[in-house]
């Protein structure tokens, strides 16, 4: 009798604290900011960073961040709730196809449910095939690569390794571009067209890009494809980068500075969308939707609108279902023969 090979899909996002309190935030930030993929550095630089992280940042920042989480928390973290919705809706979409035998799960790179814990659980329940889908359209060594690292660390501890595949990126996938364009178009149909569309991505230090991280190229490609799909002229939109941290130069132009500049130069209204996020979270709901609104209006702007992330929209779930078939279609096709 042929071995039964159960198939799982794991949607992985960055992570979130378990509770909106200083203790939980500190635990989450320690795990996140201790990852050498996130904050690079070797030998002396690495030791210096860890000393700053543990001696200063983790003693000062958690209380402030916890208060921000409290302002957006509803029973749970928005990111985790949305990820659960995405898992549920993708499962429903796959189930409607009938007989594919795929089960969808969630995981986080940092926090709970942890990716390595999820993989261990899948192994214990007899799953032999796992498609891991990082919820980052644009690849970066700071976001997607840690998922590869954790998968490799998990496999290294196994005698009988699982068959694990990963989706590297989908920044230019036609269905992703279509989903973004549809989201923008529907928002503008409902609220009207603004003077400028600001397409803001999470930033990374410029030196990471200089060393070969393809993230900025992926971001610019996404922006070009979406605005082409929408038929926007070059003067109708701009790509920017948000959330810089520390003294290093990050990818430019900076979102907050750009919004100030636009307002001061006479731009009265802007729409802001963050295509690097597939689920709304602290960064989009607080920094982008609130803090940057204050930056724009404080510099003289009149109308500031944040366009929500794709979240669990039907168009995004359709993309996820397509990615499953593109990357694990041969597994799906073998389900019936294995059960017969």
């Amino acid at each position: 009798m042929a071995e039964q090979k159960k198939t799982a899909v794991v949607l992985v996002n960055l992570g979130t604290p378990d509770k909106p309190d200083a203790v939980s935030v500190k635990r989450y930030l320690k795990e996140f900011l201790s990852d050498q993929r996130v904050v690079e550095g070797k030998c002396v630089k690495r030791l210096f960073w860890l000393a700053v992280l543990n001696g200063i940042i983790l003693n000062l920042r958690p209380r402030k961040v916890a208060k921000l989480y409290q302002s957006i928390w509803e029973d749970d973290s928005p990111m985790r709730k949305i990820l659960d919705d995405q898992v549920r809706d993708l499962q429903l979409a796959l189930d409607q196809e009938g007989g594919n035998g795929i089960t969808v799960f969630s995981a986080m790179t940092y926090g709970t449910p942890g990716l390595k814990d999820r993989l261990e659980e899948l192994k214990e329940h007899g799953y032999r095939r796992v498609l891991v889908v990082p919820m980052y359209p644009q690849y970066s060594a700071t976001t997607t690569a840690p998922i590869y690292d954790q998968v490799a660390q998990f496999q290294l501890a196994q005698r009988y390794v699982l068959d694990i595949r990963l989706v590297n990126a989908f920044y230019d996938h036609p269905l992703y571009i279509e989903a973004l364009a549809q989201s923008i178009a529907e928002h503008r149909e409902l609220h009207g067209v603004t003077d400028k569309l600001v397409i803001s991505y999470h930033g990374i230090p410029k030196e990471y890009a200089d060393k070969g991280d393809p993230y900025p190229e992926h971001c610019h490609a996404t922006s070009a494809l979406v605005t082409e799909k929408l038929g926007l002229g070059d003067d109708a939109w701009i790509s920017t980068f948000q959330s810089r941290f520390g003294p290093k130069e990050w990818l430019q132009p900076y979102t907050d500075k750009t919004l100030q500049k636009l307002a001061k130069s006479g731009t009265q209204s802007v729409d802001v969308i963050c295509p690097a996020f597939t689920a709304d979270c602290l960064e989009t709901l607080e920094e982008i939707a609130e803090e940057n609104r204050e930056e724009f209006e404080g510099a003289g702007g009149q109308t500031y609108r944040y366009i929500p992330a794709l979240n669990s929209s039907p168009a995004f779930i359709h993309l996820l279902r397509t990615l499953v078939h593109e990357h694990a279609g041969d597994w799906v096709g073998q389900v019936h023969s294995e059960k017969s």
Side-chain angles (χ1 to χ4, degrees):
M1 180 182 295
E3 178 188 11
Q4 180 70 32
K5 295 182 179 178
K6 296 168 66 175
T7 301
V9 171
V10 182
L11 306 183
V12 187
N13 215 323
L14 183 75
T16 181
D18 292 326
K19 297 178 181 179
D21 58 44
V23 173
S24 300
V25 169
K26 182 176 182 177
R27 182 167 56 246
Y28 167 70
L29 289 178
K30 181 178 179 65
E31 183 181 6
F32 173 44
L33 296 176
S34 295
D35 192 328
Q36 195 162 340
R37 290 282 195 177
V38 177
V39 181
E40 294 183 3
K42 296 181 180 180
C43 301
V44 175
K45 287 185 178 180
R46 176 71 176 165
L47 293 174
F48 176 75
W49 165 247
L50 292 176
V52 171
L53 174 64
N54 290 284
I56 301 176
I57 295 175
L58 293 179
N59 288 318
L60 298 178
R61 193 165 177 80
R63 284 192 182 87
K64 177 182 178 181
V65 175
K67 290 181 179 179
L68 297 177
Y69 270 108
Q70 289 165 14
S71 70
I72 63 168
W73 203 273
E74 296 180 4
D75 301 324
D76 200 351
S77 161
M79 175 185 284
R80 188 158 38 232
K81 291 178 67 174
I82 292 168
L83 183 59
D84 288 343
D85 289 344
Q86 292 166 335
V87 167
R88 179 200 63 208
D89 291 350
L90 177 57
Q91 185 71 69
L92 288 172
L94 292 170
D95 287 347
Q96 288 172 358
E97 298 172 356
N100 58 36
I102 295 174
T103 308
V104 187
F105 298 88
S106 66
M108 299 288 190
T109 312
Y110 315 102
T112 57
L115 175 56
K116 286 189 285 186
D117 289 340
R118 180 68 80 192
L119 292 174
E120 184 64 36
E121 175 189 337
L122 292 177
K123 183 196 73 171
E124 292 175 358
H125 285 82
Y127 287 90
R128 298 301 311 160
R129 296 167 170 160
V130 183
L131 176 65
V132 176
V133 185
M135 301 297 275
Y136 313 117
Q138 300 80 19
Y139 173 93
S140 173
T142 63
T143 52
T144 313
I147 295 176
Y148 279 78
D149 292 344
Q150 290 196 17
V151 169
Q153 291 162 10
F154 169 80
Q155 295 282 55
L156 188 61
Q158 307 307 311
R159 175 71 61 180
Y160 184 12
V161 300
L162 303 185
D163 189 354
I164 300 179
R165 299 175 183 175
L166 292 93
V167 176
N168 184 268
F170 51 92
Y171 67 95
D172 59 351
H173 195 290
L175 292 180
Y176 168 63
I177 300 303
E178 175 63 31
L180 285 174
Q182 179 180 319
S183 175
I184 296 168
E186 290 176 351
H187 177 87
R188 290 186 153 192
E189 183 177 353
L190 184 63
H191 299 286
V193 177
T194 52
D195 297 335
K196 186 81 74 172
L197 174 65
V198 178
I199 308 175
S200 181
Y201 299 86
H202 191 288
I204 61 172
K206 182 177 179 295
E207 70 173 285
Y208 293 8
D210 292 341
K211 292 176 179 178
D213 196 312
Y215 180 70
E217 286 77 15
H218 286 190
C219 294
H220 291 306
T222 294
S223 294
L225 290 167
V226 170
T227 53
E228 180 182 11
K229 185 82 173 177
L230 291 168
L232 299 181
D234 291 344
D235 60 344
W237 62 278
I238 184 172
S239 285
T240 62
F241 296 91
Q242 68 208 42
S243 306
R244 63 190 183 279
F245 176 77
K248 292 183 178 180
E249 179 183 358
W250 284 49
L251 296 178
Q252 296 192 42
Y254 299 137
T255 298
D256 55 353
K257 301 297 184 184
T258 298
L259 288 168
Q260 293 172 6
K261 183 177 179 181
L262 287 172
K264 290 176 180 178
S265 65
T267 299
Q268 293 297 300
S269 59
V270 295
D271 285 322
V272 183
I273 190 168
C274 300
F277 292 87
T278 54
D280 278 313
C281 58
L282 181 66
E283 188 167 326
T284 62
L285 297 174
E286 204 284 326
E287 179 185 346
I288 296 299
E290 299 300 331
E291 289 183 19
N292 281 342
R293 177 192 305 277
E294 295 175 4
E295 296 283 359
F296 182 69
E297 294 177 350
Q302 298 298 313
T303 302
Y304 179 100
R305 298 186 309 220
Y306 169 64
I307 301 175
L310 293 175
N311 295 326
S312 56
S313 65
F316 185 58
I317 299 303
H318 179 48
L319 164 65
L320 292 177
R321 183 179 64 176
T322 301
L323 289 174
V324 170
H325 283 284
E326 289 176 349
H327 292 268
D330 56 328
W331 290 348
V332 175
Q334 294 176 36
V335 169
H336 294 294
S337 62
E338 289 169 358
K339 289 184 176 180
S340 60

